[in-house]
Structures are given as C-alpha cells and as structure tokens.
Amino acid sequence: MVGTAVSRISGAAPGSDGRCDPSGLGLLTGGSSPVTTVAPVAIADLIAGGETGAVEFKSTLRMNLHTGQVDDKIQISSLKTIAGFLNAKGGTLLIGVSDNGEVLGLHADGFQIEDKLGLHLVNLVKDRIGEIFLPYIHPHFQDENGARVLAIRCEKGPKAAFLKDGNLQRFFVRGGNATTELSGASVTDYAKQRFG
C-alpha cells in the first residue's frame, strides 16, 4: 500500500527491479526491459502550440463527458491517435486537456490512482494495437495548471499498427492536425512506402 501511495504522489511506476521509473516505461514494457529515462514533455509548451501533426489533446481516456459513462468510442478515439502516431512520425497525445487547450485533469476518468490509469492504457494498447508497440509508447504523468495530465509520447512504430475495433482491423495515420483512416490499396501503398 505504501508503494502505491508513493507511486501516486510522485507519478513514478515501480520498475521490476524495485527502482522507480519516472517515465512509466517500465509499466508499458512489463518491467522486462532496462529502465529507460524519457525526457519529460514540456506540456505547457505543447498546449500553447495547439494541436498539430505531432500533438493531440483528449479530455479523457475513457469517460464520455456528456453522458458521464465509460464509453468505448472515447477509448477508440485515443487509440486511433496512438496508432496514427505509430504509423507516421510519432507524436504526443495529452489526456486531460480539452480541444481548446484547457487543462481538465484526469479525475473525470474515475481511476483512484494513476497506476490504474497507466495499467488500463497498457491493456488497451496490448489488446487493441499489439504488445509489440509497447516499447514505442512512453507515458508520463505531470502537473499542469494545478491538475494532472497524462502525456503519451509515441515514437515511429517498427511496422504497421492496426487498431482492432470489434471485428475490424483499422489503419490510421497522423497528418496535419488530424488522424485519418486509410483503407484498401491506400493502406498497402502507405505501408510499403513507410515501412519498406
């Protein structure tokens, strides 16, 4: 219980060797890789720059703010962005920030501690995109304007990342300040050009 409290306060996830991993990477790799330090994201700078080809804002990870209910469509929205970043040049998804750049925090998602939110993210990525991509996704909790924000920095992925949505395998790319779905021959052409 003490470890959990420390983890919540510091925003650090304990690594498999007992060390704290401030990047949260140990959480995403299941602690099987050496702890890698990922430079904290300057969230204020990202917010000030607005949404771009490399930055996206989402108010919540799973909660529909209009209905007050957990909504799979909201989760899919964040996963589309993550897959789009993996399939393009990478980027950062900020959870807890509205489209207009207002910092809302993470409380609306209803997780009692950040570790549970981090674990939920890990499970979503593993189940819906694939565990091979976990080492390319770096979460970081940070205070901004008196609230907690989750910055998810995504690197370029090693291969095409498809999002499982029910029985569908959907392919997204990030371009401009939007995440776009490609289908048919466009997926083949893009994947061949991007991944070789």
Side-chain angles (χ1 to χ4, degrees), residues 171-189:
F171 187 83
F172 296 91
V173 294
R174 185 74 181 178
N177 65 345
T179 303
T180 304
E181 184 170 11
L182 300 182
S183 59
S186 296
V187 174
T188 306
D189 292 345

Side-chain angles (χ1 to χ4, degrees):
M1 196 68 168
V2 172
T4 301
V6 169
S7 209
R8 176 159 174 21
I9 293 166
S10 69
S16 62
D17 59 0
R19 295 181 295 166
C20 279
D21 173 12
S23 70
L25 182 60
L27 182 69
L28 283 179
T29 60
S32 61
S33 299
V35 174
T36 303
T37 302
V38 176
V41 178
I43 291 176
D45 294 341
L46 294 176
I47 293 171
E51 292 184 324
T52 67
V55 178
E56 174 75 11
F57 305 152
K58 298 289 182 193
S59 297
T60 66
L61 179 63
R62 68 177 187 170
M63 189 68 65
N64 183 322
L65 295 178
H66 300 291
T67 66
Q69 301 293 313
V70 172
D71 188 338
D72 193 52
K73 290 177 186 172
I74 303 298
Q75 294 181 136
I76 292 289
S77 179
S78 292
L79 291 170
K80 284 197 267 192
T81 301
I82 292 170
F85 284 147
L86 289 166
N87 287 328
K89 298 175 184 175
T92 302
L93 171 61
L94 297 180
I95 304 289
V97 179
S98 70
D99 284 341
N100 67 5
E102 179 186 356
V103 177
L104 303 174
L106 302 172
H107 64 278
D109 269 316
F111 292 98
Q112 292 181 355
I113 59 174
E114 289 173 356
D115 287 347
K116 297 232 185 245
L117 173 58
L119 183 59
H120 185 72
L121 173 65
V122 168
N123 288 331
L124 284 174
V125 171
K126 280 173 56 176
D127 294 345
R128 299 278 183 93
I129 299 174
E131 63 188 341
I132 190 173
F133 298 101
L134 291 176
Y136 299 89
I137 301 170
H138 310 281
H140 175 75
F141 293 95
Q142 186 172 320
D143 288 320
E144 187 62 39
N145 293 341
R148 293 296 272 175
V149 172
L150 173 58
I152 305 167
R153 185 175 63 82
C154 302
E155 298 176 39
K156 293 190 313 186
K159 66 176 198 167
F162 289 85
L163 173 61
K164 295 176 193 150
D165 185 6
N167 293 328
L168 301 174
Q169 294 284 325
R170 301 172 68 188
F171 187 83
F172 296 91
V173 294
R174 185 74 181 178
N177 65 345
T179 303
T180 304
E181 184 170 11
L182 300 182
S183 59
S186 296
V187 174
T188 306
D189 292 345
Y190 182 87
K192 189 181 296 182
Q193 180 255 342
R194 163 68 173 82
F195 302 103

